[in-house]
Amino acid sequence: MNKTPSSPSGTFPVLRPALVLFVLLSVVTGLLYPWLVTGAAQVAFPRQANGSLIERNGQVVGSALIGQAFTQPGHFWGRPSATSPTPYNAAASGGSNLGPTSPALAEAVQARIAALRTADPGNTAPVPVDLITASASGLDPHISLAAAQYQVPRVARARGLPADAVSALVAQHSEGVWLGFLGEPRVNVLALNLALDATPPTPAQGG
């Protein structure tokens, strides 16, 4: 039985619905939907939609959502980050993937404890776990209230501030649990350090 080959003119009616649907979905999902969501976010949550950026003197100094590597004794230190090639690299978010029995993890934890003890030799309090272990994302901008209070003596001494005043700053910048039951009380390290930088030194008292 002979078959008549289809002609280009006969193929187009078959492809036309697919092409029309492709163009229509491209416009809806690639243009209209992103435009609608972006516009709604800019109206309802402009700060969050633009990255929760933190400004100082008109300059962006970071984001409330991404940690920074503070190493000076007069600053609060954030949770360790295992991102590479630098800590808190938002383009390479992730953890170390080291298991709890890993010798490399044990060595890293001991090195972090040693660094904290060296920076504050007189502090014999237990080191909070979030100061010696990295988060799964490597970008955590917060530390627990216990981790912040652990660092108060060192920061107060380096800043020439009373320990009570530094503790008060920690309390002022603490964030409670979400919806009253989700998460744990915490403090944003960048926001706290910016508040410290804006606090003039005074003779230390009581700590």
Side-chain angles (χ1 to χ4, degrees):
M1 181 176 181
N2 294 330
K3 294 182 179 181
T4 303
S6 59
S7 64
S9 60
T11 303
F12 182 74
V14 177
L15 294 179
R16 182 169 58 186
L19 292 174
V20 170
L21 184 61
F22 172 76
V23 172
L24 179 62
L25 289 176
S26 296
V27 172
V28 171
T29 61
L31 295 176
L32 295 181
Y33 178 75
W35 177 83
L36 178 62
V37 172
T38 300
Q42 290 292 339
V43 172
F45 310 102
R47 181 173 177 273
Q48 292 86 341
N50 289 296
S52 298
L53 301 179
I54 297 178
E55 295 186 359
R56 183 183 182 189
N57 299 326
Q59 298 292 324
V60 175
V61 296
S63 169
L65 303 177
I66 300 177
Q68 296 187 20
F70 293 99
T71 58
Q72 296 298 317
H75 281 132
F76 283 88
W77 299 352
R79 188 167 187 179
S81 171
T83 62
S84 62
T86 58
Y88 306 103
N89 181 7
S93 174
S96 66
N97 292 327
L98 298 176
T101 60
S102 169
L105 177 61
E107 292 176 5
V109 167
Q110 290 302 318
R112 291 162 184 162
I113 292 175
L116 288 165
R117 297 297 192 196
T118 300
D120 193 7
N123 192 343
T124 58
V127 178
V129 68
D130 54 324
L131 287 180
I132 54 177
T133 56
S135 65
S137 69
L139 307 178
D140 198 341
H142 297 91
I143 54 175
S144 65
L145 295 184
Q149 289 296 339
Y150 175 85
Q151 300 181 71
V152 164
R154 185 199 73 231
V155 173
R157 185 168 56 253
R159 291 270 177 173
L161 291 169
D164 290 346
V166 178
S167 291
L169 279 177
V170 171
Q172 290 171 15
H173 290 81
S174 64
E175 303 174 15
V177 297
W178 192 53
L179 297 179
F181 67 98
L182 294 177
E184 296 291 337
R186 61 206 179 277
V187 60
N188 187 284
V189 178
L190 175 58
L192 179 57
N193 283 333
L194 289 175
L196 273 171
D197 290 342
T199 304
T202 58
Q205 298 175 359

